[in-house]
Amino acid sequence: MRLRLPEERPTEPPTGYKIAHPVLSHDGTRAGFTGVSLGGALPYAVLDDATCVYGLRHRAPHRRCDCGFHCVHDRTTAEALLCTAEHRTAVLLEISVLGRYIRFERGYRYARQRVRTATVGPCACGTVAAALADAGWGRPGWRVLAPCCTACLRGRTSVSLAGFARLAAGGLRVVAGKGVRVAGEASAPDAGGGPGVPELVAEAALLQARLDWFQSRLDRLGERGLGGGPQG
């Protein structure tokens, strides 16, 4: 006799937690996430369906395969994963488990998910993050981003927390986690509000870096014009 797992029919989608790296498309028009383990090479959107990472044609999750999205039941368990060196720049996601799922002791393996909230950790310097900046690595077509404060941006490709939420769409809420706050900076706004001081400062820093680059290019062109060719 073949034993069958009990079926669950919840009235509301179960809630789970996981960690992931935020990513930005190379043209800066889309945002999403990429996992930290199995399937990490395949970035996903705020609302997305899982596919078999081994290229098999069965639907995810399959009982005899490891495919499907993964998450844990407890927020504290997911936060503990951020302590490892390779995961320090990852963000904590709160997700809704959608579609078919298999329940395990510590979490779910499932077919579809919606990322509701992304909690961003502090900058490497310990200051509360105001933006997500180029981490120096990525996937084909995608730049992986890391938490960053306004003082550490230094002209890197970046997007404010509110800007990342807009690009990711789907009702995503992005909040800044714990860290040292710079005097004069306000707290990050709640979902539904406009960008706060940290987001606006990050946007201004990014704009200033671009203006500086354009000015340096203009200066070079001006020097070439003055020194090139005979003058009448």
Side-chain angles (χ1 to χ4, degrees), residues 21-25 30-34 43 139 142-145 164:
H21 293 289
V23 294
L24 181 70
S25 63
R30 293 175 295 157
F33 302 94
T34 186
R139 310 295 187 195
W142 296 89
R143 292 187 179 94
V144 171
L145 306 178
F164 184 88

Side-chain angles (χ1 to χ4, degrees), residues 22-69:
V23 294
L24 181 70
S25 63
H26 70 284
D27 57 3
T29 61
R30 293 175 295 157
F33 302 94
T34 186
V36 297
S37 56
L38 184 67
L42 301 174
Y44 54 84
V46 168
L47 178 62
D48 216 333
D49 296 289
T51 57
C52 180
V53 295
Y54 304 110
L56 301 178
R57 296 183 179 180
H58 56 239
R59 290 194 304 167
H62 196 276
R63 293 183 182 180
R64 297 182 181 180
C65 187
D66 296 328
C67 61
F69 289 124

Side-chain angles (χ1 to χ4, degrees), residues 5-6 8 10 14 73 101-110:
L5 296 175
E8 298 181 10
H73 300 301
Y101 64 82
I102 301 174
R103 179 190 289 270
F104 295 92
E105 180 181 359
R106 295 188 177 182
Y108 301 98
R109 184 159 61 89
Y110 50 100

Side-chain angles (χ1 to χ4, degrees), residues 8 12 21-22 48 63 67 71-72 95-96 99 103 110 124 130-131 136 139 161 184-185 188 213 224:
E8 298 181 10
E12 296 182 356
H21 293 289
D48 216 333
R63 293 183 182 180
C67 61
C71 73
V72 295
I95 58 97
S96 292
R103 179 190 289 270
Y110 50 100
R139 310 295 187 195
L161 303 189
E185 287 193 352
W213 182 84
R224 292 176 182 175

